Amino acid sequence: MSLIDEALSANATIANDYDSGLGGPPAPRIAIVTCADPRLSGIVRMLGLSDADVDMIRNVGSVIDDDSVRSLVISTRVLGTREIMIINHNDCGMLRFTDGELEDRLRRETGMSPIAPARFYSFTDTEQNTREQVQKVRSHPWISPDVPVRGFVYDLDTGRLSEVVPQEATLAGHSR
Ligand SMILES: [Zn+2]
């Protein structure tokens, strides 16, 4: 049996105990962009937040691309979240290849040149990459300046977050 079939079968039983109150209108207070890596799936609990407070936006590499921006604009403008956290992590799969290497591999394995996606957003420096993702959100005209945007690296070995200091603050010799 495939895992999907197992999940369907389990759902039929588990739903017997479903709390129908969970189907009410969402009212999240914070948007979190983080990696799709399964080791990040418990991040809400590690932050001491409740699931109901978090609008969770996940993709491989915690990347701020068009789609994350789309989600963040809706999250802050429609759902009413008032803060944004971007959480990257050590040992991210995006450190294990470059875009060029992956494209070469796909050409070899499929015999086709890639048309899309245009970028895979691999990176080599987790902290610097996180800083850039913060800047991308911060500079977007549809994300209100009133909404704080802060970046973090989550350590999978300790379960602790480290805040990534913005470049300007680093250069000025102080953090905010
Ligand atoms: Zn990752």
Side-chain angles (χ1 to χ4, degrees):
M1 190 159 60
S2 78
L3 207 52
I4 294 175
D5 289 329
E6 285 180 35
L8 281 173
S9 168
N11 171 253
T13 308
I14 294 166
N16 290 334
D17 299 321
Y18 183 66
D19 171 9
S20 58
L22 292 172
R29 299 158 65 198
I30 182 170
I32 297 179
V33 181
T34 195
C35 187
D37 189 309
R39 295 170 294 179
L40 274 291
S41 292
I43 193 73
V44 171
R45 185 175 48 81
M46 288 303 292
L47 299 174
L49 297 171
S50 76
D51 286 332
D53 282 340
V54 179
D55 189 21
M56 186 61 77
I57 299 160
R58 292 178 73 172
N59 64 41
V60 176
S62 318
V63 171
I64 302 302
D65 57 4
D66 285 354
D67 197 61
S68 320
V69 168
R70 180 183 69 86
S71 294
L72 286 170
V73 169
I74 293 169
S75 185
T76 55
R77 298 284 180 177
V78 180
L79 293 178
T81 54
R82 293 185 298 277
E83 297 177 65
I84 296 172
M85 279 180 104
I86 299 172
I87 304 178
N88 222 313
H89 66 100
N90 65 318
D91 194 38
C92 187
M94 299 295 274
L95 293 159
R96 291 180 199 154
F97 60 88
T98 66
D99 278 32
E101 284 166 3
L102 183 54
E103 284 169 19
D104 288 345
R105 180 177 151 187
L106 290 166
R107 273 192 206 94
R108 270 201 317 276
E109 290 182 358
T110 68
M112 313 275 271
S113 291
I115 298 164
R119 282 193 63 186
F120 291 102
Y121 296 98
S122 62
F123 52 84
T124 53
D125 181 331
T126 305
E127 196 168 308
Q128 180 58 24
N129 182 66
T130 307
R131 192 174 286 121
E132 288 172 10
Q133 307 316 304
V134 170
Q135 287 165 353
K136 284 196 257 179
V137 177
R138 187 68 291 164
S139 62
H140 198 283
W142 287 351
I143 302 291
S144 169
D146 297 338
V147 173
V149 182
R150 292 165 65 179
F152 301 85
V153 176
Y154 180 69
D155 187 330
L156 290 166
D157 300 315
T158 64
R160 290 182 193 279
L161 282 183
S162 310
E163 183 153 14
V164 172
V165 181
Q167 200 79 64
E168 308 89 293
T170 312
L171 293 174
H174 62 82
S175 57
R176 59 173 186 180

